[in-house]
Amino acid sequence: MTVHVLIVEDDPVQRRVLKQAVEQNGHACLLAESGKAGLGLLKTRGSEIGVVVIDLAMRGLDGLSFIEAVHDLGMDVPVVVQTGQGGIDAVVEAMRAGAFDFVVKPVSPERLGTAIAGALKSDDPKGRSLRRARHQPVGLADIVSASPAMTRVVDLAKRASHSTIPVVLEGEAGVGKEMIARAIHAGSDRATKPFVILNCSAIAPELIESMLFGGDAAEGGDGAGERQHAKFLEADGGTLFIDELGDLPLDVQVKLLRAAQSGEIEAAGSSRRRKVNVRLISATAKNLIEEVKEGRFREDLYYRLNVFPITIPALRRRKEDIPFLARTFAERSSLEQKLPQSVGVSAAALALLTAYDWPGNIRQLENAVFRAAVLAQGRELAPSDFVQIAAQVPGFEGDARETGAHAADRSVAGTAPSLVEVKASEAPGTHGAASEEADVENDGVFPSGSLIASTDETGNVRTIAEIEEELIRFALRFYRGQMSQVARKLGIGRSTLYRKLKDYGIDPDNPMHDAA
């Protein structure tokens, strides 16, 4: 039997557009001009209908009332809702009522096809595609978005992959800049060559020059020191991704400009020049124009590197992507944890996640879903699995408290009686992408999640130094070694942070090594 897509739309023009888009994706259609007519078709031909696409704002029986009526009939057909720009409150209510996904008008055939395909697979475990693990390569074809702004980003990235001009990726921490950089590299003719990363915020400023260009060749006598340390030489023939470009020291900016112009590098302390063939992709969370005005970034380097800028929108600016991302992260975490069955995300949980603004963007969303999936007791994630998120979204506190007591008991079991809480919700979690690829299994390190004990095993108060060391280790782990962000969140300068790392013997690349 052919599975049909039921289109419920009171605007005849929109109905015709949707019909063409659905048929373009290879599906058969049933059309209804009102919510009441759509319910009639569900009652008479429900066995043929696999997905419903409905407009939220209709005369008579609107989209929200339609979803409630479908549930009253005891039917489990997935519903994809359409909304106009700015209708996020109504969308949250629809997701809460049980909508599977939502799309924003005007919806592209590709986005609608993705939503329908996901809905058709939602009740078929055998039909679910296993999402790629975080450490597997990501291509531009793997980036699916419902947001026009993000679709524009993917289009620009595709164009950039066909050339070798420098690219600057702009956007807040956690939006997926490294993922886009990797996708550009994977789509280029350098895909089989190295993709090398240098994170300027994760390295002491005085070490960045030697990391980029190499040390004194005289150390090895044959240039071996350069080959071993220079990121430019490691990336020869491929792509060098310079993350947090705005943190590059001014003296290193001069050498980077020379390398970008001439394609030659010169190791620190050496007069010998080496020819390199490297494609430069940079990323920054800072406003480089403002940095230029303040004298912290060279204007000539800015114009040399900023040939092809791509601005990646924050997740709060593209909330239509949240349901898809949340399901993808839940499925991925199920795969990585080797769970017998993929963990789903309930409609109420999707409504909660969509309502939240995600200051840490995709990285924070991925961390939240990953943690919830690891600790989940059922087959679907509920609002009670996101207690910290629900506490910050008006109207959801009650949903989280209904079944949240056992989660709270579980999170503090086995810890000391007095605890200092570190609010993980105030900072980024993870990324469907970049340093977004770092692991998020904090529970193996801090058994109490985001709680740091203020008393020791004997019941005595711990020293300030002990708590400070543990907090620094936690912050390094939590912010994936982003030194500027760690220092800012801890309320100290970067130089102070580096001094404390030295005092406590903390390796920023492996903060839990030798931890007490």
Side-chain angles (χ1 to χ4, degrees):
M1 181 186 296
T2 302
V3 177
H4 289 75
V5 176
L6 172 60
I7 298 173
V8 184
E9 171 63 71
D10 59 355
D11 183 335
V13 175
Q14 281 294 317
R15 197 161 58 241
R16 185 162 58 251
V17 170
L18 287 173
K19 179 177 182 292
Q20 292 173 348
V22 169
E23 291 177 343
Q24 183 176 324
N25 282 281
H27 303 292
C29 290
L30 291 174
L31 303 178
E33 70 279 1
S34 67
K36 186 176 180 180
L39 284 178
L41 283 172
L42 275 176
K43 291 175 183 177
T44 58
R45 303 181 63 176
S47 60
E48 303 174 38
I49 298 172
V51 185
V52 177
V53 178
I54 186 170
D55 191 350
L56 268 184
M58 292 193 303
R59 295 181 296 273
L61 190 69
D62 62 14
L64 191 59
S65 301
F66 179 90
I67 295 172
E68 293 170 349
V70 169
H71 288 173
D72 291 341
L73 292 173
M75 304 185 73
D76 197 25
V77 59
V79 178
V80 176
V81 298
Q82 271 200 116
T83 181
Q85 295 288 353
I88 193 66
D89 292 337
V91 168
V92 169
E93 286 302 311
M95 300 299 289
R96 209 170 189 175
F100 176 82
D101 201 351
F102 72 95
V103 295
V104 178
K105 295 180 181 178
V107 59
S108 68
E110 294 77 16
R111 166 54 184 153
L112 185 62
T114 299
I116 292 172
L120 288 172
K121 291 189 293 183
S122 63
D123 294 322
D124 181 13
K126 292 182 180 179
R128 286 176 178 257
S129 60
L130 293 178
R131 307 290 181 194
R132 63 184 66 243
R134 276 171 286 184
H135 296 282
Q136 289 182 303
V138 173
L140 291 167
D142 300 310
I143 303 174
V144 179
S145 175
S147 160
M150 195 62 192
T151 301
R152 172 67 173 164
V153 168
V154 175
D155 181 55
L156 289 173
K158 287 179 180 177
R159 298 183 193 182
S161 68
H162 298 150
S163 70
T164 60
I165 60 176
V167 174
V168 171
L169 303 174
E170 304 168 322
E172 297 176 6
V175 295
K177 296 188 288 291
E178 185 180 326
M179 179 187 68
I180 297 295
R182 287 184 179 276
I184 292 173
H185 173 77
S188 71
D189 56 6
R190 298 172 180 254
T192 59
K193 301 298 183 180
F195 179 85
V196 179
I197 301 173
L198 178 76
N199 189 328
C200 298
S201 69
I203 303 170
E206 62 269 18
L207 298 179
I208 292 179
E209 180 180 358
S210 59
M211 289 288 289
L212 264 177
F213 306 106
D216 191 341
E219 292 178 7
D222 58 357
E226 293 177 36
R227 286 193 295 273
Q228 180 180 358
H229 297 296
K231 293 292 185 181
F232 263 101
L233 292 179
E234 290 179 28
D236 196 14
T239 301
L240 176 59
F241 176 56
I242 303 178
D243 201 1
E244 299 299 342
L245 177 67
D247 290 334
L248 200 66
L250 280 169
D251 57 332
V252 183
Q253 292 179 28
V254 177
K255 296 193 69 170
L256 180 59
L257 175 63
R258 188 181 304 126
Q261 289 175 330
S262 66
E264 295 180 341
I265 64 169
E266 187 178 292
S270 171
S271 59
R272 180 184 178 188
R273 292 189 176 183
R274 283 178 170 272
K275 195 76 176 174
V276 289
N277 175 19
V278 172
R279 199 261 176 91
L280 287 174
I281 300 179
S282 308
T284 180
K286 295 182 177 181
N287 185 328
L288 290 184
I289 286 290
E290 290 300 319
E291 294 295 299
V292 170
K293 290 179 180 178
E294 295 296 327
R296 293 188 291 264
F297 199 86
R298 292 181 62 95
E299 186 174 13
D300 48 5
L301 180 61
Y302 172 79
Y303 288 115
R304 169 61 63 175
L305 298 183
N306 200 45
V307 179
F308 199 108
I310 300 177
T311 301
I312 304 173
L315 188 55
R316 64 182 175 276
R317 304 294 183 193
R318 52 185 180 109
K319 288 194 171 186
E320 55 266 50
D321 286 339
I322 290 177
F324 176 81
L325 290 170
R327 292 191 185 98
T328 298
F329 294 151
E331 190 171 353
R332 178 189 293 168
S333 64
S334 302
L335 174 64
E336 293 181 0
Q337 295 301 309
K338 297 181 172 59
L339 300 180
Q341 188 170 3
S342 290
V343 175
V345 187
S346 71
L350 285 175
L352 167 62
L353 299 180
T354 303
Y356 185 54
D357 277 344
W358 301 104
N361 293 296
I362 296 176
R363 185 183 298 141
Q364 184 186 6
L365 173 63
E366 186 177 11
N367 257 354
V369 173
F370 189 94
R371 176 180 172 81
V374 170
L375 300 177
Q377 299 296 306
R379 294 174 56 183
E380 275 194 334
L381 300 181
S384 59
D385 294 304
F386 302 95
V387 177
Q388 289 180 322
I389 301 299
Q392 301 175 73
V393 181
F396 282 90
E397 301 92 330
D399 291 350
R401 283 197 298 266
E402 287 178 7
T403 54
H406 72 279
D409 292 339
R410 182 173 66 244
S411 70
V412 299
T415 63
S418 299
L419 300 159
V420 177
E421 183 173 1
V422 180
K423 295 183 179 179
S425 58
E426 294 178 357
T430 80
H431 96 155
S435 46
E436 285 93 85
E437 296 178 357
D439 79 289
V440 294
E441 298 169 44
N442 287 343
D443 294 298
V445 179
F446 298 96
S448 56
S450 59
L451 298 173
I452 295 177
S454 56
T455 57
D456 59 23
E457 296 176 355
T458 65
N460 293 315
V461 174
R462 299 171 67 197
T463 65
I464 291 177
E466 289 174 339
I467 295 177
E468 181 183 65
E469 178 184 349
E470 188 170 348
L471 184 60
I472 291 173
R473 291 182 186 274
F474 179 92
L476 285 166
R477 175 88 175 210
F478 192 79
Y479 292 107
R480 303 295 183 271
Q482 300 285 330
M483 303 298 279
S484 294
Q485 196 168 17
V486 170
R488 186 165 59 250
K489 293 297 183 181
L490 291 176
I492 58 177
R494 283 183 65 185
S495 59
T496 302
L497 176 59
Y498 283 115
R499 177 173 55 78
K500 290 182 180 293
L501 294 182
K502 183 177 180 181
D503 292 344
Y504 292 127
I506 300 174
D507 179 1
D509 294 325
N510 186 13
M512 301 318 301
H513 181 64
D514 292 334

